[in-house]
Amino acid sequence: EFALESKVHVDVTELGTIGFRFVQPGEDVNAAALSTVSLTVVPVPKPAADPAPPAADPAVDSIDGLSPAQVRSLRAAHVSTVSSFRQIATRARTSASLVSLLGVDRATLGRYTLLAGLLTVPGLDRTKAAVLYDAGLTDVPALAAADPADLVKRYARAAKARRDGDAFRPTAAEAAVWIAAAGRLVAGRGEPS
């Protein structure tokens, strides 16, 4: 067991996110932005492997429709994952700031937020989440309640209408895996509709 004390540079963004980094020796920083962090480090045995994989938390650039400039703005505001995006986007106080930061309207912010939710479903990526959204399965509870055969049909119609030429089509078995994973998320964390 040992104690560690260090100065850190603290940055609070207009979205209310807090970032910090350790100050390097000889670095010129504003003293008002410094805080002291004290930690006691205790080695503990490594826990046994968790049988259930953690929920997916892809990078924020996985959200379909965000431009590279918007992604850079989000990262500068310490928003780097879809879960951190969802947390910020669903707070009444910060959603207006996020609309301004991204230069979008509230409806577009709502779409991005729902896509971020879909991206937490294991097996979904940027394109698959966007196609599901376009197919009317706009959030995790809707996906959890879907019928695999209906999902396959809806996905095919929505994918065909995309300009990016999405050639992927899920099988009924793949759709069932997505639906089951969404169901576990809804049951495990009370996913809002």
Side-chain angles (χ1 to χ4, degrees):
E1 176 177 319
F2 61 94
L4 174 69
E5 188 170 294
S6 180
K7 294 287 187 188
V8 293
H9 179 266
V10 179
D11 176 29
V12 180
T13 70
E14 63 185 50
L15 297 176
T17 57
I18 299 173
F20 65 90
R21 61 180 177 77
F22 291 98
V23 177
Q24 301 299 314
E27 184 178 355
D28 185 30
V29 292
N30 178 358
L34 290 178
S35 289
T36 302
V37 173
S38 298
L39 303 170
T40 301
V41 180
V42 179
V44 295
K46 185 175 178 181
D50 185 4
D57 195 11
V60 73
D61 61 352
S62 299
I63 299 172
D64 185 61
L66 285 177
S67 71
Q70 290 170 319
V71 170
R72 282 191 299 277
S73 294
L74 287 168
R75 288 194 173 139
H78 311 294
V79 179
S80 59
T81 65
V82 296
S83 65
S84 60
F85 180 86
R86 289 178 67 217
Q87 289 173 348
I88 296 297
T90 55
R91 288 187 204 148
R93 292 176 132 183
T94 56
S95 65
S97 297
L98 194 53
V99 163
S100 175
L101 176 76
L102 297 176
V104 297
D105 58 26
R106 287 196 177 273
T108 302
L109 178 63
R111 178 181 179 274
Y112 292 162
T113 304
L114 291 170
L115 285 170
L118 285 171
L119 285 164
T120 64
V121 177
L124 296 185
D125 59 18
R126 175 188 184 111
T127 303
K128 291 171 187 165
V131 173
L132 286 171
Y133 182 92
D134 294 344
L137 299 167
T138 59
D139 58 20
V140 176
L143 178 57
D147 172 72
D150 182 54
L151 185 152
V152 168
K153 290 177 191 171
R154 291 168 71 175
Y155 189 101
R157 277 194 305 270
K160 185 177 179 181
R162 288 181 63 88
R163 286 182 270 173
D164 62 7
D166 177 38
F168 175 80
R169 300 296 185 272
T171 64
E174 289 168 321
V177 169
W178 295 347
I179 292 166
R184 286 190 296 276
L185 288 175
V186 169
R189 67 178 187 222
E191 182 68 31
S193 53

